[in-house]
Amino acid sequence: MPQYISIMIDASTVSKSDQFINLEDQFGAHNYHPLPVVLERGEGVFVFDVNGKRYYDFLSAYSAINQGHCHPHIVGALVEQAKKLTLTSRAFHNNRLGEYEQFATAFFGYDKLLPMNTGAEAVETAIKIARKWAYEVKGIAGNNAQIVVCENNFHGRTTTIISFSNDPVARKNFGPYTGGFIKIPYDNSEALEETLKNNPHVAAFLVEPIQGEAGVYVPSSDYLKKCKAICDKYNVLLLADEVQTGIARTGRLLASCGNCSCADKNCSQTPEVKADILILGKALSGGVYPVSAVLANDDIMSVIGPGNHGSTFGGNPIAAAVAIAALEVVKEEKLAEKAHKLGELFRAKMNEYISNSLIVKQVRGKGLLNAIVINDHEESDTAWNICLSLRDHGLLAKPTHGNIIRFAPPLVMTETQLLECVGIITETLSEFEPL
Ligand SMILES: *Cc1c(COP(=O)(O)O)cnc(C)c1O
């Protein structure tokens, strides 16, 4: 009898959830430390575990599920396309890719799109384009181009990307590291100017408009605008990694909110920055399929020719159909406006709670990308225990960096649901307040 069956029927002593957790533990690499909950179904703002218990999802797969779980319009597009044609590779054309490229470039306001699958691949793609642009357009001498990045960045997990991370867990024992990166403090445009002034070999500045993984660090409101002006002054490309912040999450179509078809009326009050290279992933598919993309105008994207870059699955017809549907949902359901409105409400309610709290120090964020900071040191397990208790109360969230809990529900949430969630969160937190 195959071993997995023997484990599955060992129900007398082990709970149903534990059986699935044990399988992952025994046969999967231990590269994650998941919250102990086993999910089998999702619908809108909810997920359901193997025992049928319902939870509000306050992670949204790290903001991939902005459109809600299993959105019928997106899943419908997936199923329809999957029955017709799934993959051609880019050795041949397919009848969906061009349509998607036209749709997405108009949606975000760029000339061209380069399709990939994961966020890390899109970041790698942007780095390659920026380097090639530096040699062929800017005129930097061969193999000398530098890319400026920020401390505490998160851009993915490839060998090159972890080379410029400063998270010891992500880096340690994965060297030798890829060179060509200069690290400066985040939210510090003076440091950027200083670096560019003294270094003629800089090709690009790679930045997250809000540092999500680092703990939802929102920079000062004019930071990106200043960075863009400095980049322009020194002929350096601004690369915006909007894999997590993009596609309505922060209350605007893009957190950097350049010349986009943003639905949020408040947008004009905020600094408008158009990145030279825009990096998207996660919610580009609504979490239905791995779809990522790099967008740029012709003067930059034209450095890429046949054979310079590619991916077997990048630009496949399912990805194209899914991404169009996912973006249609963002627009039709006004998700940017919703995220903006619900985010204001969430932070107001949390601040009400925090004014009388000893356990929560701060709430911060933009739109529905928020985090609370627990009043405890980074190595404490308080945030983890709060997340376990939230789970028991029917809401799923995960600590990031020890004492920070990120709250990022799907954007299709109603105001009533959000208020119910605020109730769950504040009730749970109050259990942890010192007496
Ligand atoms: C998640 C994320 C990535 C990496 O995306 P993957 O699909 O996991 O490779 C890159 N940048 C940011 C800002 C992210 O949040």
Side-chain angles (χ1 to χ4, degrees), residues 58-338:
F58 261 61
L59 185 62
S60 305
Y62 300 98
S63 297
I65 311 278
N66 289 0
Q67 297 88 335
H69 285 275
C70 299
H71 195 292
H73 183 61
I74 308 172
V75 172
L78 171 89
V79 170
E80 274 307 296
Q81 188 57 45
K83 288 194 274 195
K84 269 176 106 174
L85 183 67
T86 61
L87 182 64
T88 57
S89 84
R90 299 288 302 278
F92 311 114
H93 295 280
N94 71 65
N95 68 338
R96 301 308 305 266
L97 177 58
E99 174 196 357
Y100 160 53
E101 288 170 333
Q102 180 184 36
F103 185 90
T105 50
F107 204 88
F108 293 104
Y110 287 87
D111 292 339
K112 293 269 193 300
L113 177 150
L114 197 157
M116 297 296 283
N117 313 284
T118 67
E121 286 176 324
V123 172
E124 290 273 353
T125 303
I127 291 169
K128 284 177 72 177
I129 295 170
R131 285 181 173 177
K132 204 158 187 289
W133 172 88
Y135 301 125
E136 295 174 9
V137 180
K138 183 167 177 175
I140 293 176
N143 287 332
N144 255 326
Q146 303 286 310
I147 292 177
V148 178
V149 298
C150 291
E151 282 165 15
N152 301 320
N153 67 72
F154 181 84
H155 297 287
R157 302 294 199 171
T158 64
T159 35
T160 289
I161 291 170
I162 60 102
S163 291
F164 57 83
S165 162
N166 56 324
D167 177 354
V169 182
R171 270 176 68 88
K172 195 180 167 204
N173 290 338
F174 292 117
Y177 302 110
T178 309
F181 297 94
I182 302 169
K183 215 174 290 158
I184 63 169
Y186 188 62
D187 194 15
N188 188 333
S189 52
E190 291 80 22
L192 179 64
E193 171 113 46
E194 207 51 39
T195 306
L196 300 196
K197 197 197 305 177
N198 296 315
N199 195 332
H201 301 301
V202 176
F205 175 48
L206 171 63
V207 66
E208 298 158 85
I210 293 171
Q211 286 191 327
E213 291 310 299
V216 188
Y217 283 100
V218 183
S220 37
S221 61
D222 55 355
Y223 174 58
L224 278 185
K225 198 175 186 175
K226 281 185 180 164
C227 289
K228 178 65 174 123
I230 295 164
C231 285
D232 287 348
K233 181 170 158 192
Y234 294 96
N235 196 23
V236 162
L237 302 180
L238 183 89
L239 279 43
D241 180 349
E242 294 243 22
V243 171
Q244 186 160 157
T245 53
I247 317 189
R249 170 56 58 186
T250 67
R252 289 172 283 171
L253 182 59
L254 300 170
S256 57
C257 202
N259 184 18
C260 64
S261 54
C262 180
D264 178 14
K265 292 179 208 76
N266 298 314
C267 193
S268 59
Q269 298 166 13
T270 61
E272 291 198 7
V273 170
K274 181 168 183 174
D276 298 296
I277 299 184
L278 173 65
I279 304 164
L280 297 174
K282 293 196 169 114
L284 186 52
S285 71
V288 165
Y289 200 76
V291 185
S292 69
V294 170
L295 291 105
N297 281 342
D298 282 328
D299 53 329
I300 296 166
M301 197 65 98
S302 61
V303 300
I304 295 295
N308 289 154
H309 195 55
S311 158
T312 302
F313 280 85
N316 73 75
I318 295 183
V322 162
I324 292 174
L327 292 174
E328 282 172 346
V329 169
V330 169
K331 194 159 205 174
E332 275 159 28
E333 302 190 15
K334 297 187 166 51
L335 295 188
E337 281 165 311
K338 273 190 97 168

Side-chain angles (χ1 to χ4, degrees), residues 7-20 22:
I7 290 167
M8 296 298 290
I9 58 173
D10 183 22
S12 51
T13 50
V14 187
S15 82
K16 201 172 174 188
S17 294
D18 283 344
Q19 293 173 47
F20 291 105
N22 291 344

